[in-house]
Amino acid sequence: MALPKLKLIFTLFFLQAFLTSPTSIQAAPANSDIFREYIGAEFNNVKFSDVPINPNVEFHFILSFAIDYDPSGSSPTNGKFNVFWDSDNLSPSQVSSIKSQHSNVKVALSLGGDSVNSGSAYFKPSSIDSWVSNAVSSLTSIIQQYNLDGIDIDYEHFSADPDTFSECIGRLITTLKNNGVISFASIAPFDDDQVQSHYLALWKSYGHLIDYVNFQFYAYDQGTTVSQFINYFKTQSSNYNGGKVLASFSTDGSGGLSPENGFFTACHRLKIEQQLHGIFVWSADDSKKIGFRYEKQSQALLATPH
């Protein structure tokens, strides 16, 4: 009788040692209170100060967009970025003002986007080295002029292969972080084969430098159900393994699981499972006309103790 008991003690000892070893299992990200919102793409005079800000969340505005096209939006410029958001209403002084009024607010800019000058905005580098050099220089200038904190990558059309995209964006993020120009970076993929091939190549090589995955769940079909949303979320969390994949909805009526149809039910379920890493919204421009009601609801959910 003594021998099995001794065996059991040793088994429990080794099991405990394995479970408490810091290198045995990499912990997945837990719930977080990050709320992020894209702003400025639609030129409808929305201002930072229009958007309700809950003091108990970490709030990121994401200026939309900086694009490496000439100011007219007709020709790509190989990493020389220009401002294409509503800079009259979202100016450097307004960035400084909102950040001074709210200590929990950070402001980022997003690169690329879907379109420019009513055509698609393409990622089109001449070479990796020249694109990175131009991008570091032009973005450092814009980020410092506007007193920004981070960048988001939202290219959706590509004239370069996934490896080139990965190296260009990966080196850009590396350099901006190493130079102390930004403190965080995010990516904004969606479920499209070409888009995913580019962003997953970037994730594979540089995922350790990417702080948030703004997955565009609103690019799924309109009428997405709660259970479908949860399945999509788990699929993309597996694709971007170890990343902080944020739940998302749009207020432009485009698709995905809407707040009216159960988005917050899905978020509550994710929160119970310690998988609600944050919420982001496209976009403040569209939410203005409905009084930002879902921004308030999102932040209230995130601010509730985990």
Side-chain angles (χ1 to χ4, degrees):
M1 294 296 289
L3 190 58
K5 196 170 181 181
L6 196 61
K7 248 174 148 178
L8 179 63
I9 290 167
F10 275 117
T11 302
L12 289 171
F13 174 81
F14 284 117
L15 185 61
Q16 184 183 26
F18 175 76
L19 290 174
T20 56
S21 166
T23 57
S24 61
I25 301 170
Q26 185 176 355
N31 288 337
S32 173
D33 60 1
I34 292 162
F35 178 79
R36 320 186 84 208
E37 179 140 46
Y38 290 87
I39 188 168
E42 295 170 22
F43 288 80
N44 68 349
N45 301 318
V46 68
K47 297 178 172 66
F48 298 123
S49 55
D50 293 334
V51 184
I53 296 167
N54 187 314
N56 299 311
V57 301
E58 182 177 341
F59 194 113
H60 294 180
F61 284 108
I62 306 175
L63 292 163
S64 313
F65 292 93
I67 313 174
D68 53 333
Y69 270 62
D70 65 67
S72 70
S74 56
S75 302
T77 52
N78 189 40
K80 294 177 181 175
F81 282 85
N82 286 297
V83 168
F84 281 87
W85 65 78
D86 182 1
S87 56
D88 287 343
N89 288 293
L90 303 164
S91 66
S93 64
Q94 284 152 328
V95 171
S96 296
S97 176
I98 199 70
K99 287 171 70 172
S100 66
Q101 291 171 42
H102 300 275
S103 61
N104 60 320
V105 167
K106 293 183 171 69
V107 185
L109 58 74
S110 186
L111 308 185
D114 175 48
S115 62
V116 60
N117 192 23
S118 70
S120 295
Y122 277 88
F123 174 74
K124 192 172 184 178
S126 300
S127 69
I128 293 172
D129 288 346
S130 63
W131 189 93
V132 171
S133 176
N134 289 339
V136 167
S137 175
S138 61
L139 287 171
T140 296
S141 176
I142 294 169
I143 289 165
Q144 291 178 342
Q145 179 191 358
Y146 278 81
N147 187 27
L148 304 180
D149 304 286
I151 63 170
D152 174 65
I153 312 300
D154 187 25
Y155 281 105
E156 302 186 3
H157 307 280
F158 306 91
S159 294
D161 62 69
D163 288 340
T164 300
F165 177 72
S166 172
E167 280 307 298
C168 284
I169 301 300
R171 290 188 199 178
L172 171 65
I173 294 170
T174 300
T175 306
L176 293 178
K177 282 195 167 186
N178 287 346
N179 290 350
V181 176
I182 60 171
S183 58
F184 59 83
S186 59
I187 56 175
F190 57 95
D191 192 24
D192 169 89
D193 288 347
Q194 188 190 38
V195 169
Q196 289 279 63
S197 69
H198 284 74
Y199 282 94
L200 288 169
L202 172 62
W203 184 258
K204 183 179 178 182
S205 297
Y206 292 97
H208 59 288
L209 292 172
I210 295 166
D211 301 280
Y212 312 104
V213 179
N214 283 12
F215 199 87
Q216 298 183 46
F217 290 103
Y218 45 84
Y220 287 104
D221 289 343
Q222 202 166 24
T224 296
T225 65
V226 170
S227 60
Q228 285 174 325
F229 181 92
I230 298 282
N231 286 336
Y232 295 151
F233 183 89
K234 293 190 173 177
T235 297
Q236 301 310 332
S237 295
S238 175
N239 283 335
Y240 296 93
N241 188 33
K244 284 187 176 176
V245 177
L246 275 58
S248 63
F249 64 91
S250 74
T251 50
D252 66 0
S254 57
L257 178 60
S258 68
E260 299 92 337
N261 292 335
F263 175 79
F264 293 110
T265 300
C267 286
H268 277 289
R269 290 192 192 171
L270 292 174
K271 192 163 190 175
I272 290 167
E273 296 177 17
Q274 289 291 310
Q275 292 185 335
L276 185 60
H277 315 312
I279 294 171
F280 80 90
V281 181
W282 176 274
S283 67
D285 308 54
D286 297 299
S287 298
K288 185 180 178 182
K289 63 183 176 291
I290 55 170
F292 302 99
R293 72 178 72 146
Y294 298 125
E295 282 78 356
K296 294 173 190 172
Q297 194 171 347
S298 297
Q299 293 175 76
L301 172 61
L302 292 169
T304 306
H306 301 158

PDB file of all heavy atoms in Angstrom, residues 59-87:
ATOM      1  N   PHE A  59      -8.413  54.648 -23.365  1.00  0.00           N
ATOM      2  CA  PHE A  59      -9.122  55.095 -24.562  1.00  0.00           C
ATOM      3  C   PHE A  59      -8.117  55.494 -25.640  1.00  0.00           C
ATOM      4  O   PHE A  59      -7.259  56.334 -25.406  1.00  0.00           O
ATOM      5  CB  PHE A  59     -10.006  56.307 -24.198  1.00  0.00           C
ATOM      6  CG  PHE A  59     -11.034  56.663 -25.235  1.00  0.00           C
ATOM      7  CD1 PHE A  59     -12.391  56.518 -24.962  1.00  0.00           C
ATOM      8  CD2 PHE A  59     -10.656  57.145 -26.480  1.00  0.00           C
ATOM      9  CE1 PHE A  59     -13.355  56.857 -25.908  1.00  0.00           C
ATOM     10  CE2 PHE A  59     -11.601  57.477 -27.435  1.00  0.00           C
ATOM     11  CZ  PHE A  59     -12.952  57.326 -27.148  1.00  0.00           C
ATOM     12  N   HIS A  60      -8.251  54.883 -26.822  1.00  0.00           N
ATOM     13  CA  HIS A  60      -7.395  55.216 -27.961  1.00  0.00           C
ATOM     14  C   HIS A  60      -8.243  55.778 -29.103  1.00  0.00           C
ATOM     15  O   HIS A  60      -9.116  55.080 -29.637  1.00  0.00           O
ATOM     16  CB  HIS A  60      -6.677  53.978 -28.502  1.00  0.00           C
ATOM     17  CG  HIS A  60      -5.688  53.366 -27.570  1.00  0.00           C
ATOM     18  ND1 HIS A  60      -4.949  52.240 -27.908  1.00  0.00           N
ATOM     19  CD2 HIS A  60      -5.291  53.707 -26.327  1.00  0.00           C
ATOM     20  CE1 HIS A  60      -4.158  51.921 -26.901  1.00  0.00           C
ATOM     21  NE2 HIS A  60      -4.353  52.789 -25.921  1.00  0.00           N
ATOM     22  N   PHE A  61      -8.001  57.011 -29.483  1.00  0.00           N
ATOM     23  CA  PHE A  61      -8.503  57.516 -30.766  1.00  0.00           C
ATOM     24  C   PHE A  61      -7.521  57.088 -31.855  1.00  0.00           C
ATOM     25  O   PHE A  61      -6.297  57.146 -31.652  1.00  0.00           O
ATOM     26  CB  PHE A  61      -8.579  59.039 -30.764  1.00  0.00           C
ATOM     27  CG  PHE A  61      -9.734  59.612 -30.001  1.00  0.00           C
ATOM     28  CD1 PHE A  61      -9.538  60.265 -28.792  1.00  0.00           C
ATOM     29  CD2 PHE A  61     -11.034  59.517 -30.497  1.00  0.00           C
ATOM     30  CE1 PHE A  61     -10.602  60.825 -28.090  1.00  0.00           C
ATOM     31  CE2 PHE A  61     -12.112  60.070 -29.798  1.00  0.00           C
ATOM     32  CZ  PHE A  61     -11.891  60.724 -28.600  1.00  0.00           C
ATOM     33  N   ILE A  62      -8.046  56.703 -33.024  1.00  0.00           N
ATOM     34  CA  ILE A  62      -7.184  56.315 -34.150  1.00  0.00           C
ATOM     35  C   ILE A  62      -7.544  57.193 -35.342  1.00  0.00           C
ATOM     36  O   ILE A  62      -8.623  57.057 -35.952  1.00  0.00           O
ATOM     37  CB  ILE A  62      -7.341  54.826 -34.495  1.00  0.00           C
ATOM     38  CG1 ILE A  62      -7.099  53.948 -33.253  1.00  0.00           C
ATOM     39  CG2 ILE A  62      -6.363  54.447 -35.601  1.00  0.00           C
ATOM     40  CD1 ILE A  62      -7.365  52.466 -33.478  1.00  0.00           C
ATOM     41  N   LEU A  63      -6.642  58.114 -35.671  1.00  0.00           N
ATOM     42  CA  LEU A  63      -6.865  59.037 -36.792  1.00  0.00           C
ATOM     43  C   LEU A  63      -6.801  58.280 -38.112  1.00  0.00           C
ATOM     44  O   LEU A  63      -5.866  57.514 -38.367  1.00  0.00           O
ATOM     45  CB  LEU A  63      -5.816  60.147 -36.758  1.00  0.00           C
ATOM     46  CG  LEU A  63      -5.940  61.111 -35.563  1.00  0.00           C
ATOM     47  CD1 LEU A  63      -4.645  61.899 -35.385  1.00  0.00           C
ATOM     48  CD2 LEU A  63      -7.121  62.057 -35.767  1.00  0.00           C
ATOM     49  N   SER A  64      -7.794  58.533 -38.967  1.00  0.00           N
ATOM     50  CA  SER A  64      -7.960  57.762 -40.194  1.00  0.00           C
ATOM     51  C   SER A  64      -8.031  58.682 -41.418  1.00  0.00           C
ATOM     52  O   SER A  64      -9.007  59.418 -41.541  1.00  0.00           O
ATOM     53  CB  SER A  64      -9.251  56.956 -40.118  1.00  0.00           C
ATOM     54  OG  SER A  64      -9.351  56.289 -38.876  1.00  0.00           O
ATOM     55  N   PHE A  65      -7.039  58.702 -42.257  1.00  0.00           N
ATOM     56  CA  PHE A  65      -5.865  57.854 -42.319  1.00  0.00           C
ATOM     57  C   PHE A  65      -4.646  58.682 -42.707  1.00  0.00           C
ATOM     58  O   PHE A  65      -4.793  59.773 -43.252  1.00  0.00           O
ATOM     59  CB  PHE A  65      -6.059  56.768 -43.385  1.00  0.00           C
ATOM     60  CG  PHE A  65      -7.122  55.756 -43.039  1.00  0.00           C
ATOM     61  CD1 PHE A  65      -8.430  55.917 -43.468  1.00  0.00           C
ATOM     62  CD2 PHE A  65      -6.810  54.635 -42.276  1.00  0.00           C
ATOM     63  CE1 PHE A  65      -9.400  54.983 -43.154  1.00  0.00           C
ATOM     64  CE2 PHE A  65      -7.767  53.694 -41.967  1.00  0.00           C
ATOM     65  CZ  PHE A  65      -9.072  53.874 -42.405  1.00  0.00           C
ATOM     66  N   ALA A  66      -3.458  58.136 -42.476  1.00  0.00           N
ATOM     67  CA  ALA A  66      -2.255  58.625 -43.138  1.00  0.00           C
ATOM     68  C   ALA A  66      -1.957  57.648 -44.275  1.00  0.00           C
ATOM     69  O   ALA A  66      -1.976  56.428 -44.068  1.00  0.00           O
ATOM     70  CB  ALA A  66      -1.077  58.684 -42.166  1.00  0.00           C
ATOM     71  N   ILE A  67      -1.728  58.179 -45.473  1.00  0.00           N
ATOM     72  CA  ILE A  67      -1.571  57.317 -46.659  1.00  0.00           C
ATOM     73  C   ILE A  67      -0.344  57.767 -47.441  1.00  0.00           C
ATOM     74  O   ILE A  67      -0.106  58.968 -47.592  1.00  0.00           O
ATOM     75  CB  ILE A  67      -2.825  57.388 -47.572  1.00  0.00           C
ATOM     76  CG1 ILE A  67      -4.115  57.234 -46.744  1.00  0.00           C
ATOM     77  CG2 ILE A  67      -2.754  56.316 -48.656  1.00  0.00           C
ATOM     78  CD1 ILE A  67      -5.393  57.429 -47.547  1.00  0.00           C
ATOM     79  N   ASP A  68       0.426  56.799 -47.934  1.00  0.00           N
ATOM     80  CA  ASP A  68       1.600  57.172 -48.746  1.00  0.00           C
ATOM     81  C   ASP A  68       1.187  57.336 -50.220  1.00  0.00           C
ATOM     82  O   ASP A  68       1.582  56.573 -51.104  1.00  0.00           O
ATOM     83  CB  ASP A  68       2.775  56.207 -48.559  1.00  0.00           C
ATOM     84  CG  ASP A  68       2.452  54.750 -48.779  1.00  0.00           C
ATOM     85  OD1 ASP A  68       1.287  54.343 -48.595  1.00  0.00           O
ATOM     86  OD2 ASP A  68       3.382  53.988 -49.124  1.00  0.00           O
ATOM     87  N   TYR A  69       0.374  58.373 -50.406  1.00  0.00           N
ATOM     88  CA  TYR A  69      -0.041  58.864 -51.724  1.00  0.00           C
ATOM     89  C   TYR A  69       0.215  60.364 -51.742  1.00  0.00           C
ATOM     90  O   TYR A  69       0.309  61.006 -50.682  1.00  0.00           O
ATOM     91  CB  TYR A  69      -1.533  58.603 -51.948  1.00  0.00           C
ATOM     92  CG  TYR A  69      -1.838  57.255 -52.595  1.00  0.00           C
ATOM     93  CD1 TYR A  69      -1.507  56.065 -51.955  1.00  0.00           C
ATOM     94  CD2 TYR A  69      -2.447  57.173 -53.842  1.00  0.00           C
ATOM     95  CE1 TYR A  69      -1.782  54.831 -52.534  1.00  0.00           C
ATOM     96  CE2 TYR A  69      -2.736  55.942 -54.436  1.00  0.00           C
ATOM     97  CZ  TYR A  69      -2.392  54.781 -53.779  1.00  0.00           C
ATOM     98  OH  TYR A  69      -2.674  53.565 -54.367  1.00  0.00           O
ATOM     99  N   ASP A  70       0.311  60.931 -52.949  1.00  0.00           N
ATOM    100  CA  ASP A  70       0.481  62.379 -53.037  1.00  0.00           C
ATOM    101  C   ASP A  70      -0.775  63.071 -52.494  1.00  0.00           C
ATOM    102  O   ASP A  70      -1.834  62.443 -52.385  1.00  0.00           O
ATOM    103  CB  ASP A  70       0.782  62.804 -54.476  1.00  0.00           C
ATOM    104  CG  ASP A  70      -0.378  62.526 -55.429  1.00  0.00           C
ATOM    105  OD1 ASP A  70      -1.433  63.172 -55.290  1.00  0.00           O
ATOM    106  OD2 ASP A  70      -0.242  61.643 -56.289  1.00  0.00           O
ATOM    107  N   PRO A  71      -0.677  64.356 -52.145  1.00  0.00           N
ATOM    108  CA  PRO A  71      -1.817  65.037 -51.503  1.00  0.00           C
ATOM    109  C   PRO A  71      -3.121  64.989 -52.284  1.00  0.00           C
ATOM    110  O   PRO A  71      -4.201  65.050 -51.691  1.00  0.00           O
ATOM    111  CB  PRO A  71      -1.315  66.474 -51.344  1.00  0.00           C
ATOM    112  CG  PRO A  71       0.166  66.340 -51.239  1.00  0.00           C
ATOM    113  CD  PRO A  71       0.528  65.205 -52.159  1.00  0.00           C
ATOM    114  N   SER A  72      -3.050  64.843 -53.593  1.00  0.00           N
ATOM    115  CA  SER A  72      -4.281  64.753 -54.390  1.00  0.00           C
ATOM    116  C   SER A  72      -4.896  63.360 -54.314  1.00  0.00           C
ATOM    117  O   SER A  72      -6.041  63.150 -54.731  1.00  0.00           O
ATOM    118  CB  SER A  72      -3.994  65.101 -55.852  1.00  0.00           C
ATOM    119  OG  SER A  72      -3.224  64.061 -56.460  1.00  0.00           O
ATOM    120  N   GLY A  73      -4.122  62.386 -53.788  1.00  0.00           N
ATOM    121  CA  GLY A  73      -4.618  61.015 -53.670  1.00  0.00           C
ATOM    122  C   GLY A  73      -4.579  60.233 -54.959  1.00  0.00           C
ATOM    123  O   GLY A  73      -5.229  59.195 -55.085  1.00  0.00           O
ATOM    124  N   SER A  74      -3.782  60.681 -55.933  1.00  0.00           N
ATOM    125  CA  SER A  74      -3.785  60.016 -57.235  1.00  0.00           C
ATOM    126  C   SER A  74      -2.629  59.049 -57.443  1.00  0.00           C
ATOM    127  O   SER A  74      -2.755  58.094 -58.212  1.00  0.00           O
ATOM    128  CB  SER A  74      -3.786  61.056 -58.361  1.00  0.00           C
ATOM    129  OG  SER A  74      -2.694  61.933 -58.214  1.00  0.00           O
ATOM    130  N   SER A  75      -1.497  59.266 -56.756  1.00  0.00           N
ATOM    131  CA  SER A  75      -0.316  58.438 -57.019  1.00  0.00           C
ATOM    132  C   SER A  75       0.357  58.000 -55.724  1.00  0.00           C
ATOM    133  O   SER A  75       0.549  58.815 -54.813  1.00  0.00           O
ATOM    134  CB  SER A  75       0.716  59.211 -57.848  1.00  0.00           C
ATOM    135  OG  SER A  75       0.153  59.640 -59.062  1.00  0.00           O
ATOM    136  N   PRO A  76       0.757  56.705 -55.631  1.00  0.00           N
ATOM    137  CA  PRO A  76       1.500  56.253 -54.451  1.00  0.00           C
ATOM    138  C   PRO A  76       2.877  56.902 -54.380  1.00  0.00           C
ATOM    139  O   PRO A  76       3.463  57.252 -55.417  1.00  0.00           O
ATOM    140  CB  PRO A  76       1.600  54.740 -54.645  1.00  0.00           C
ATOM    141  CG  PRO A  76       1.344  54.496 -56.090  1.00  0.00           C
ATOM    142  CD  PRO A  76       0.513  55.628 -56.594  1.00  0.00           C
ATOM    143  N   THR A  77       3.385  57.078 -53.169  1.00  0.00           N
ATOM    144  CA  THR A  77       4.631  57.836 -52.960  1.00  0.00           C
ATOM    145  C   THR A  77       5.704  57.028 -52.228  1.00  0.00           C
ATOM    146  O   THR A  77       6.625  57.594 -51.653  1.00  0.00           O
ATOM    147  CB  THR A  77       4.345  59.123 -52.170  1.00  0.00           C
ATOM    148  OG1 THR A  77       3.610  58.788 -50.985  1.00  0.00           O
ATOM    149  CG2 THR A  77       3.537  60.116 -52.990  1.00  0.00           C
ATOM    150  N   ASN A  78       5.572  55.687 -52.216  1.00  0.00           N
ATOM    151  CA  ASN A  78       6.646  54.825 -51.692  1.00  0.00           C
ATOM    152  C   ASN A  78       7.056  55.178 -50.268  1.00  0.00           C
ATOM    153  O   ASN A  78       8.218  55.406 -49.972  1.00  0.00           O
ATOM    154  CB  ASN A  78       7.868  54.878 -52.627  1.00  0.00           C
ATOM    155  CG  ASN A  78       8.919  53.843 -52.257  1.00  0.00           C
ATOM    156  OD1 ASN A  78       8.588  52.719 -51.902  1.00  0.00           O
ATOM    157  ND2 ASN A  78      10.194  54.227 -52.318  1.00  0.00           N
ATOM    158  N   GLY A  79       6.064  55.229 -49.378  1.00  0.00           N
ATOM    159  CA  GLY A  79       6.388  55.430 -47.962  1.00  0.00           C
ATOM    160  C   GLY A  79       6.431  56.875 -47.503  1.00  0.00           C
ATOM    161  O   GLY A  79       6.641  57.130 -46.324  1.00  0.00           O
ATOM    162  N   LYS A  80       6.204  57.816 -48.393  1.00  0.00           N
ATOM    163  CA  LYS A  80       6.146  59.230 -47.984  1.00  0.00           C
ATOM    164  C   LYS A  80       4.684  59.563 -47.657  1.00  0.00           C
ATOM    165  O   LYS A  80       3.873  59.801 -48.550  1.00  0.00           O
ATOM    166  CB  LYS A  80       6.679  60.135 -49.103  1.00  0.00           C
ATOM    167  CG  LYS A  80       8.169  59.926 -49.365  1.00  0.00           C
ATOM    168  CD  LYS A  80       8.663  60.784 -50.520  1.00  0.00           C
ATOM    169  CE  LYS A  80      10.145  60.528 -50.780  1.00  0.00           C
ATOM    170  NZ  LYS A  80      10.627  61.260 -51.980  1.00  0.00           N
ATOM    171  N   PHE A  81       4.380  59.557 -46.359  1.00  0.00           N
ATOM    172  CA  PHE A  81       2.992  59.639 -45.914  1.00  0.00           C
ATOM    173  C   PHE A  81       2.495  61.079 -45.840  1.00  0.00           C
ATOM    174  O   PHE A  81       3.239  61.994 -45.481  1.00  0.00           O
ATOM    175  CB  PHE A  81       2.829  58.972 -44.546  1.00  0.00           C
ATOM    176  CG  PHE A  81       2.793  57.471 -44.645  1.00  0.00           C
ATOM    177  CD1 PHE A  81       3.971  56.731 -44.663  1.00  0.00           C
ATOM    178  CD2 PHE A  81       1.582  56.801 -44.738  1.00  0.00           C
ATOM    179  CE1 PHE A  81       3.941  55.350 -44.768  1.00  0.00           C
ATOM    180  CE2 PHE A  81       1.542  55.427 -44.856  1.00  0.00           C
ATOM    181  CZ  PHE A  81       2.725  54.692 -44.866  1.00  0.00           C
ATOM    182  N   ASN A  82       1.214  61.223 -46.169  1.00  0.00           N
ATOM    183  CA  ASN A  82       0.509  62.488 -46.006  1.00  0.00           C
ATOM    184  C   ASN A  82      -0.744  62.263 -45.169  1.00  0.00           C
ATOM    185  O   ASN A  82      -1.280  61.146 -45.094  1.00  0.00           O
ATOM    186  CB  ASN A  82       0.116  63.066 -47.372  1.00  0.00           C
ATOM    187  CG  ASN A  82       1.306  63.634 -48.116  1.00  0.00           C
ATOM    188  OD1 ASN A  82       1.924  64.584 -47.670  1.00  0.00           O
ATOM    189  ND2 ASN A  82       1.635  63.034 -49.259  1.00  0.00           N
ATOM    190  N   VAL A  83      -1.221  63.329 -44.541  1.00  0.00           N
ATOM    191  CA  VAL A  83      -2.423  63.271 -43.719  1.00  0.00           C
ATOM    192  C   VAL A  83      -3.663  63.334 -44.606  1.00  0.00           C
ATOM    193  O   VAL A  83      -3.789  64.248 -45.432  1.00  0.00           O
ATOM    194  CB  VAL A  83      -2.428  64.442 -42.706  1.00  0.00           C
ATOM    195  CG1 VAL A  83      -3.794  64.587 -42.044  1.00  0.00           C
ATOM    196  CG2 VAL A  83      -1.326  64.250 -41.675  1.00  0.00           C
ATOM    197  N   PHE A  84      -4.552  62.349 -44.438  1.00  0.00           N
ATOM    198  CA  PHE A  84      -5.807  62.331 -45.196  1.00  0.00           C
ATOM    199  C   PHE A  84      -7.030  62.332 -44.281  1.00  0.00           C
ATOM    200  O   PHE A  84      -8.134  62.082 -44.744  1.00  0.00           O
ATOM    201  CB  PHE A  84      -5.843  61.107 -46.123  1.00  0.00           C
ATOM    202  CG  PHE A  84      -5.026  61.282 -47.381  1.00  0.00           C
ATOM    203  CD1 PHE A  84      -3.673  60.963 -47.386  1.00  0.00           C
ATOM    204  CD2 PHE A  84      -5.594  61.766 -48.543  1.00  0.00           C
ATOM    205  CE1 PHE A  84      -2.908  61.111 -48.533  1.00  0.00           C
ATOM    206  CE2 PHE A  84      -4.829  61.920 -49.701  1.00  0.00           C
ATOM    207  CZ  PHE A  84      -3.484  61.594 -49.698  1.00  0.00           C
ATOM    208  N   TRP A  85      -6.833  62.582 -42.977  1.00  0.00           N
ATOM    209  CA  TRP A  85      -8.001  62.714 -42.101  1.00  0.00           C
ATOM    210  C   TRP A  85      -8.447  64.166 -42.032  1.00  0.00           C
ATOM    211  O   TRP A  85      -7.793  65.057 -42.580  1.00  0.00           O
ATOM    212  CB  TRP A  85      -7.710  62.152 -40.709  1.00  0.00           C
ATOM    213  CG  TRP A  85      -6.651  62.873 -39.910  1.00  0.00           C
ATOM    214  CD1 TRP A  85      -6.774  64.043 -39.231  1.00  0.00           C
ATOM    215  CD2 TRP A  85      -5.298  62.439 -39.694  1.00  0.00           C
ATOM    216  NE1 TRP A  85      -5.589  64.379 -38.603  1.00  0.00           N
ATOM    217  CE2 TRP A  85      -4.665  63.402 -38.870  1.00  0.00           C
ATOM    218  CE3 TRP A  85      -4.553  61.330 -40.107  1.00  0.00           C
ATOM    219  CZ2 TRP A  85      -3.333  63.293 -38.457  1.00  0.00           C
ATOM    220  CZ3 TRP A  85      -3.245  61.223 -39.701  1.00  0.00           C
ATOM    221  CH2 TRP A  85      -2.647  62.196 -38.885  1.00  0.00           C
ATOM    222  N   ASP A  86      -9.525  64.435 -41.334  1.00  0.00           N
ATOM    223  CA  ASP A  86     -10.101  65.781 -41.212  1.00  0.00           C
ATOM    224  C   ASP A  86      -9.246  66.604 -40.242  1.00  0.00           C
ATOM    225  O   ASP A  86      -9.589  66.780 -39.078  1.00  0.00           O
ATOM    226  CB  ASP A  86     -11.548  65.662 -40.708  1.00  0.00           C
ATOM    227  CG  ASP A  86     -12.247  67.003 -40.596  1.00  0.00           C
ATOM    228  OD1 ASP A  86     -11.622  68.034 -40.928  1.00  0.00           O
ATOM    229  OD2 ASP A  86     -13.419  67.019 -40.163  1.00  0.00           O
ATOM    230  N   SER A  87      -8.132  67.113 -40.761  1.00  0.00           N
ATOM    231  CA  SER A  87      -7.153  67.792 -39.903  1.00  0.00           C
ATOM    232  C   SER A  87      -7.614  69.184 -39.456  1.00  0.00           C
ATOM    233  O   SER A  87      -7.023  69.766 -38.545  1.00  0.00           O
ATOM    234  CB  SER A  87      -5.800  67.901 -40.617  1.00  0.00           C
ATOM    235  OG  SER A  87      -5.937  68.550 -41.854  1.00  0.00           O
TER     236      SER A  87
END
